[in-house]
PDB file of all heavy atoms in Angstrom:
ATOM      1  N   ASN S 544    -205.319   3.153 -31.485  1.00 88.00           N
ATOM      2  CA  ASN S 544    -204.742   2.176 -30.562  1.00 88.00           C
ATOM      3  C   ASN S 544    -203.225   2.172 -30.649  1.00 88.00           C
ATOM      4  O   ASN S 544    -202.519   2.089 -29.632  1.00 88.00           O
ATOM      5  CB  ASN S 544    -205.309   0.789 -30.886  1.00 88.00           C
ATOM      6  CG  ASN S 544    -204.932  -0.251 -29.860  1.00 88.00           C
ATOM      7  OD1 ASN S 544    -205.398  -0.230 -28.726  1.00 88.00           O
ATOM      8  ND2 ASN S 544    -204.072  -1.183 -30.259  1.00 88.00           N
ATOM      9  N   ALA S 545    -202.672   2.301 -31.890  1.00 91.00           N
ATOM     10  CA  ALA S 545    -201.225   2.290 -32.062  1.00 91.00           C
ATOM     11  C   ALA S 545    -200.585   3.543 -31.452  1.00 91.00           C
ATOM     12  O   ALA S 545    -199.535   3.472 -30.790  1.00 91.00           O
ATOM     13  CB  ALA S 545    -200.891   2.179 -33.544  1.00 91.00           C
ATOM     14  N   VAL S 546    -201.178   4.719 -31.667  1.00 92.00           N
ATOM     15  CA  VAL S 546    -200.627   5.960 -31.105  1.00 92.00           C
ATOM     16  C   VAL S 546    -200.666   5.915 -29.584  1.00 92.00           C
ATOM     17  O   VAL S 546    -199.727   6.365 -28.898  1.00 92.00           O
ATOM     18  CB  VAL S 546    -201.406   7.168 -31.655  1.00 92.00           C
ATOM     19  CG1 VAL S 546    -201.013   8.444 -30.927  1.00 92.00           C
ATOM     20  CG2 VAL S 546    -201.169   7.315 -33.153  1.00 92.00           C
ATOM     21  N   ARG S 547    -201.747   5.331 -29.033  1.00 88.00           N
ATOM     22  CA  ARG S 547    -201.902   5.310 -27.594  1.00 88.00           C
ATOM     23  C   ARG S 547    -200.875   4.398 -26.919  1.00 88.00           C
ATOM     24  O   ARG S 547    -200.470   4.629 -25.779  1.00 88.00           O
ATOM     25  CB  ARG S 547    -203.332   4.852 -27.250  1.00 88.00           C
ATOM     26  CG  ARG S 547    -203.701   5.057 -25.804  1.00 88.00           C
ATOM     27  CD  ARG S 547    -205.200   4.962 -25.580  1.00 88.00           C
ATOM     28  NE  ARG S 547    -205.782   3.756 -26.154  1.00 88.00           N
ATOM     29  CZ  ARG S 547    -206.632   3.750 -27.171  1.00 88.00           C
ATOM     30  NH1 ARG S 547    -206.965   4.879 -27.759  1.00 88.00           N
ATOM     31  NH2 ARG S 547    -207.137   2.621 -27.613  1.00 88.00           N
ATOM     32  N   HIS S 548    -200.453   3.314 -27.612  1.00 88.00           N
ATOM     33  CA  HIS S 548    -199.539   2.353 -27.007  1.00 88.00           C
ATOM     34  C   HIS S 548    -198.105   2.492 -27.498  1.00 88.00           C
ATOM     35  O   HIS S 548    -197.274   1.614 -27.236  1.00 88.00           O
ATOM     36  CB  HIS S 548    -200.031   0.918 -27.279  1.00 88.00           C
ATOM     37  CG  HIS S 548    -201.288   0.563 -26.549  1.00 88.00           C
ATOM     38  ND1 HIS S 548    -202.529   0.863 -27.036  1.00 88.00           N
ATOM     39  CD2 HIS S 548    -201.483  -0.041 -25.347  1.00 88.00           C
ATOM     40  CE1 HIS S 548    -203.455   0.441 -26.197  1.00 88.00           C
ATOM     41  NE2 HIS S 548    -202.831  -0.120 -25.138  1.00 88.00           N
ATOM     42  N   THR S 549    -197.824   3.546 -28.243  1.00 91.00           N
ATOM     43  CA  THR S 549    -196.446   3.789 -28.695  1.00 91.00           C
ATOM     44  C   THR S 549    -195.836   4.898 -27.836  1.00 91.00           C
ATOM     45  O   THR S 549    -196.418   5.988 -27.718  1.00 91.00           O
ATOM     46  CB  THR S 549    -196.431   4.192 -30.177  1.00 91.00           C
ATOM     47  OG1 THR S 549    -197.047   3.131 -30.937  1.00 91.00           O
ATOM     48  CG2 THR S 549    -195.014   4.415 -30.661  1.00 91.00           C
ATOM     49  N   PRO S 550    -194.674   4.659 -27.241  1.00 91.00           N
ATOM     50  CA  PRO S 550    -194.064   5.690 -26.388  1.00 91.00           C
ATOM     51  C   PRO S 550    -193.546   6.862 -27.214  1.00 91.00           C
ATOM     52  O   PRO S 550    -193.423   6.779 -28.441  1.00 91.00           O
ATOM     53  CB  PRO S 550    -192.925   4.939 -25.697  1.00 91.00           C
ATOM     54  CG  PRO S 550    -192.605   3.815 -26.613  1.00 91.00           C
ATOM     55  CD  PRO S 550    -193.886   3.427 -27.272  1.00 91.00           C
ATOM     56  N   SER S 551    -193.266   7.972 -26.531  1.00 91.00           N
ATOM     57  CA  SER S 551    -192.741   9.174 -27.199  1.00 91.00           C
ATOM     58  C   SER S 551    -191.445   8.835 -27.918  1.00 91.00           C
ATOM     59  O   SER S 551    -190.587   8.117 -27.385  1.00 91.00           O
ATOM     60  CB  SER S 551    -192.511  10.289 -26.170  1.00 91.00           C
ATOM     61  OG  SER S 551    -191.982  11.437 -26.797  1.00 91.00           O
ATOM     62  N   GLY S 552    -191.321   9.366 -29.124  1.00 92.00           N
ATOM     63  CA  GLY S 552    -190.160   9.064 -29.961  1.00 92.00           C
ATOM     64  C   GLY S 552    -190.368   7.864 -30.858  1.00 92.00           C
ATOM     65  O   GLY S 552    -189.506   7.559 -31.694  1.00 92.00           O
ATOM     66  N   GLY S 553    -191.500   7.196 -30.721  1.00 93.00           N
ATOM     67  CA  GLY S 553    -191.780   6.032 -31.558  1.00 93.00           C
ATOM     68  C   GLY S 553    -192.363   6.410 -32.908  1.00 93.00           C
ATOM     69  O   GLY S 553    -192.544   7.583 -33.240  1.00 93.00           O
ATOM     70  N   ARG S 554    -192.731   5.374 -33.673  1.00 94.00           N
ATOM     71  CA  ARG S 554    -193.206   5.603 -35.047  1.00 94.00           C
ATOM     72  C   ARG S 554    -194.409   4.702 -35.308  1.00 94.00           C
ATOM     73  O   ARG S 554    -194.416   3.517 -34.952  1.00 94.00           O
ATOM     74  CB  ARG S 554    -192.088   5.312 -36.037  1.00 94.00           C
ATOM     75  CG  ARG S 554    -192.510   5.422 -37.514  1.00 94.00           C
ATOM     76  CD  ARG S 554    -191.343   5.134 -38.421  1.00 94.00           C
ATOM     77  NE  ARG S 554    -190.332   6.160 -38.298  1.00 94.00           N
ATOM     78  CZ  ARG S 554    -190.350   7.316 -38.980  1.00 94.00           C
ATOM     79  NH1 ARG S 554    -191.349   7.572 -39.806  1.00 94.00           N
ATOM     80  NH2 ARG S 554    -189.390   8.200 -38.816  1.00 94.00           N
ATOM     81  N   VAL S 555    -195.421   5.273 -35.996  1.00 95.00           N
ATOM     82  CA  VAL S 555    -196.594   4.527 -36.488  1.00 95.00           C
ATOM     83  C   VAL S 555    -196.653   4.717 -37.999  1.00 95.00           C
ATOM     84  O   VAL S 555    -196.660   5.866 -38.472  1.00 95.00           O
ATOM     85  CB  VAL S 555    -197.894   5.012 -35.831  1.00 95.00           C
ATOM     86  CG1 VAL S 555    -199.101   4.290 -36.449  1.00 95.00           C
ATOM     87  CG2 VAL S 555    -197.860   4.785 -34.328  1.00 95.00           C
ATOM     88  N   THR S 556    -196.691   3.595 -38.725  1.00 94.00           N
ATOM     89  CA  THR S 556    -196.624   3.644 -40.190  1.00 94.00           C
ATOM     90  C   THR S 556    -197.848   2.954 -40.779  1.00 94.00           C
ATOM     91  O   THR S 556    -198.216   1.840 -40.361  1.00 94.00           O
ATOM     92  CB  THR S 556    -195.352   2.954 -40.706  1.00 94.00           C
ATOM     93  OG1 THR S 556    -194.222   3.561 -40.065  1.00 94.00           O
ATOM     94  CG2 THR S 556    -195.234   3.100 -42.211  1.00 94.00           C
ATOM     95  N   LEU S 557    -198.452   3.617 -41.775  1.00 94.00           N
ATOM     96  CA  LEU S 557    -199.598   3.051 -42.508  1.00 94.00           C
ATOM     97  C   LEU S 557    -199.138   2.673 -43.905  1.00 94.00           C
ATOM     98  O   LEU S 557    -198.415   3.434 -44.556  1.00 94.00           O
ATOM     99  CB  LEU S 557    -200.747   4.058 -42.599  1.00 94.00           C
ATOM    100  CG  LEU S 557    -201.611   4.264 -41.344  1.00 94.00           C
ATOM    101  CD1 LEU S 557    -200.811   4.868 -40.202  1.00 94.00           C
ATOM    102  CD2 LEU S 557    -202.825   5.145 -41.678  1.00 94.00           C
ATOM    103  N   ARG S 558    -199.603   1.499 -44.378  1.00 92.00           N
ATOM    104  CA  ARG S 558    -199.151   1.020 -45.686  1.00 92.00           C
ATOM    105  C   ARG S 558    -200.263   0.179 -46.314  1.00 92.00           C
ATOM    106  O   ARG S 558    -201.010  -0.512 -45.612  1.00 92.00           O
ATOM    107  CB  ARG S 558    -197.887   0.176 -45.528  1.00 92.00           C
ATOM    108  CG  ARG S 558    -197.237  -0.266 -46.844  1.00 92.00           C
ATOM    109  CD  ARG S 558    -195.832  -0.817 -46.579  1.00 92.00           C
ATOM    110  NE  ARG S 558    -195.890  -2.059 -45.836  1.00 92.00           N
ATOM    111  CZ  ARG S 558    -195.836  -3.271 -46.411  1.00 92.00           C
ATOM    112  NH1 ARG S 558    -195.709  -3.351 -47.724  1.00 92.00           N
ATOM    113  NH2 ARG S 558    -195.883  -4.355 -45.681  1.00 92.00           N
ATOM    114  N   SER S 559    -200.352   0.260 -47.649  1.00 91.00           N
ATOM    115  CA  SER S 559    -201.303  -0.579 -48.397  1.00 91.00           C
ATOM    116  C   SER S 559    -200.569  -1.305 -49.507  1.00 91.00           C
ATOM    117  O   SER S 559    -199.612  -0.777 -50.074  1.00 91.00           O
ATOM    118  CB  SER S 559    -202.433   0.285 -48.995  1.00 91.00           C
ATOM    119  OG  SER S 559    -201.924   1.158 -49.970  1.00 91.00           O
TER     120      SER S 559
END
Side-chain angles (χ1 to χ4, degrees):
N544 189 70
V546 171
R547 192 164 51 247
H548 291 85
T549 302
S551 179
R554 176 179 293 275
V555 176
T556 305
L557 283 65
R558 186 167 68 96
S559 66

